Amino acid sequence: RAYIEAAECCKSLAKYSEALDYYQNALHINPDNKYARIQYISLLMNMKRYRESLKESNLLAERDSSAYVLHLRAESMGQVYDNTEIMHVIDAYLDIQKRYPNDYLSAAKLGNIYVAGHQYEDAISITEKYRSIDSTNVLVNRINAQAYCLNKDYPKAIERYEQLLQEKDSSFQTCFYAGISYYALEDFYPAHDLLERALKDDNTNINVLYYLGRACSKTSWKEDGVTYLETAVSLAHAQRQCHVPPICGACGLLQDGISIHRPGEYPSDAIRKIRPAETQTALRRSLYLLLLSERCVQSREIPNGLPENPSEKQQGQSAGSRWRTEFPSSEKTTDTMPPKTG
């Protein structure tokens, strides 16, 4: 017991190597001390010595199949195995789910793994299975809603996100993907409000600024939309590499080789990684078309000298007119502004 107390003292002082030595001494005296073994494994993980923690957790799991021990093993696997061995990690979490169906953490982590691997149907399946037991868990519901959004089932995603918002979940992930879901359904006012809330948590996020700027272009906040897009242009110029969403927004176009999509058709998970100059050009063009099609700032200069020739101007205006012709329901009246969403 003295060794364990000494280890706890060393941990509180951030003397992790000394703490490990004390735990080892305690285990040498009593190898079956479960508390000392778990603390030893947890400390190895805290020190990022994952191969050692995996070895120790595998040994412990042979005689202790508690959920906590199985989680230690699964987490160690997740840090040691690469993508070619991800099925071992999935199997480890599925084993926890099989033994402990009420374990929300394994359901959430499995959902995250599936989302990261673009296996959205699997993410939906595992989270819906847990929701049949408990439909109020915020962590599981976030992943469930995100999977619906990325799987392009936007109405279902909004249904889930509305539940989260009613439960006062104002996390970045909830506000951002809820905003994207509303945007995809061309419901631009709630999209604006939610993306604006997401921006408060990450005011240099180019994706948020881009979608928010485009949502503003279809609401009463057109001046704000220009500002958001200008900020995105500046940030893109400052970064060596960044991600830009391949989405059309109000004018329906992103030029310079980036895929063209209409709202509801863009792959939210397929954000392209492109060169800084290409990023900046795409964002400038988006801003340029917004200025033309919405006529929001007649006298404002296009940033960084983007050429304004007649063919480009005509293209921008026709893009705006085509949008109104093909998608009349997406054009909202701007005489009155609806109340912001909760």
Side-chain angles (χ1 to χ4, degrees):
R1 184 169 181 81
Y3 282 128
I4 294 176
E5 290 178 356
E8 302 292 327
C9 183
C10 288
K11 277 203 305 183
S12 67
L13 297 173
K15 297 181 179 180
Y16 301 129
S17 295
E18 294 180 29
L20 275 180
D21 291 337
Y22 282 122
Y23 282 129
Q24 284 177 327
N25 289 333
L27 291 169
H28 180 73
I29 295 172
N30 182 8
D32 296 326
N33 189 315
K34 179 180 175 180
Y35 176 81
R37 183 76 62 182
I38 288 176
Q39 294 304 311
Y40 179 63
I41 296 171
S42 298
L43 189 53
L44 285 171
M45 295 183 66
N46 188 50
M47 297 173 69
K48 302 186 186 302
R49 293 165 59 171
Y50 298 117
R51 293 191 180 277
E52 294 173 70
S53 68
L54 178 57
K55 179 181 177 181
E56 291 291 334
S57 58
N58 275 331
L59 291 173
L60 183 57
E62 290 177 1
R63 58 181 185 273
D64 184 344
S65 59
S66 64
Y68 190 82
V69 170
L70 295 178
H71 270 289
L72 288 175
R73 183 178 66 172
E75 289 173 26
S76 297
M77 284 181 178
Q79 296 295 334
V80 172
Y81 295 153
D82 60 22
N83 289 339
T84 63
E85 301 172 299
I86 193 65
M87 282 308 302
H88 294 299
V89 184
I90 292 174
D91 288 342
Y93 282 117
L94 286 173
D95 182 43
I96 300 174
Q97 276 283 286
K98 183 179 179 180
R99 295 171 185 262
Y100 306 99
N102 292 331
D103 186 273
Y104 77 91
L105 195 56
S106 58
K109 291 193 174 184
L110 266 174
N112 267 330
I113 291 172
Y114 288 137
V115 167
H118 311 298
Q119 297 173 251
Y120 306 126
E121 293 288 349
D122 291 328
I124 291 169
S125 176
I126 197 69
T127 51
E128 285 292 350
K129 181 179 178 181
Y130 180 82
R131 278 177 48 82
S132 67
I133 299 171
D134 177 11
S135 63
T136 64
N137 186 279
V138 172
L139 185 58
V140 173
N141 283 339
R142 280 180 191 165
I143 298 164
N144 178 265
Q146 183 187 15
Y148 276 118
C149 175
L150 296 177
N151 204 40
K152 303 179 186 179
D153 189 346
Y154 303 113
K156 195 68 175 181
I158 288 173
E159 179 184 330
R160 294 287 186 259
Y161 280 123
E162 284 300 324
Q163 178 185 342
L164 286 164
L165 292 167
Q166 288 171 10
E167 294 172 357
K168 309 301 181 185
D169 177 18
S170 59
S171 64
F172 173 85
Q173 179 178 332
T174 291
C175 292
F176 177 68
Y177 282 104
I180 293 300
S181 299
Y182 275 112
Y183 186 99
L185 294 180
E186 303 177 36
D187 199 349
F188 299 113
Y189 280 95
H192 164 273
D193 296 341
L194 288 160
L195 291 169
E196 196 172 58
R197 289 168 62 178
L199 190 67
K200 291 179 181 178
D201 285 340
D202 189 356
N203 61 8
T204 60
N205 188 304
I206 291 179
N207 294 320
V208 178
L209 287 163
Y210 181 81
Y211 288 118
L212 180 55
R214 306 307 283 158
C216 285
S217 74
K218 300 300 293 181
T219 61
S220 302
W221 296 282
K222 293 180 173 58
E223 280 281 356
D224 291 343
V226 175
T227 301
Y228 290 133
L229 287 170
E230 285 179 336
T231 303
V233 170
S234 299
L235 289 171
H237 180 69
Q239 295 179 9
R240 292 186 177 185
Q241 281 190 325
C242 60
H243 291 78
V244 174
I247 180 172
C248 65
C251 298
L253 293 173
L254 266 180
Q255 303 289 338
D256 304 300
I258 295 180
S259 301
I260 297 175
H261 303 274
R262 297 192 186 281
E265 297 176 346
Y266 63 91
S268 301
D269 54 295
I271 294 174
R272 291 186 53 203
K273 193 170 187 178
I274 56 181
R275 296 188 305 274
E278 187 180 0
T279 301
Q280 193 177 359
T281 301
L283 286 169
R284 283 190 202 140
R285 183 61 60 100
S286 181
L287 172 61
Y288 174 69
L289 290 175
L290 171 63
L291 291 170
L292 290 174
S293 66
E294 300 297 345
R295 300 177 179 274
C296 52
V297 184
Q298 295 293 339
S299 61
R300 199 162 189 161
E301 294 183 359
I302 305 299
N304 296 326
L306 184 69
E308 183 178 349
N309 58 50
S311 61
E312 288 180 328
K313 189 168 185 177
Q314 183 179 4
Q315 182 185 35
Q317 290 171 332
S318 62
S321 61
R322 283 199 303 275
W323 184 269
R324 286 186 287 272
T325 302
E326 297 174 14
F327 300 97
S329 61
S330 68
E331 188 72 35
K332 291 185 179 290
T333 58
T334 57
D335 295 332
T336 60
M337 188 184 303
K340 292 192 174 186
T341 60

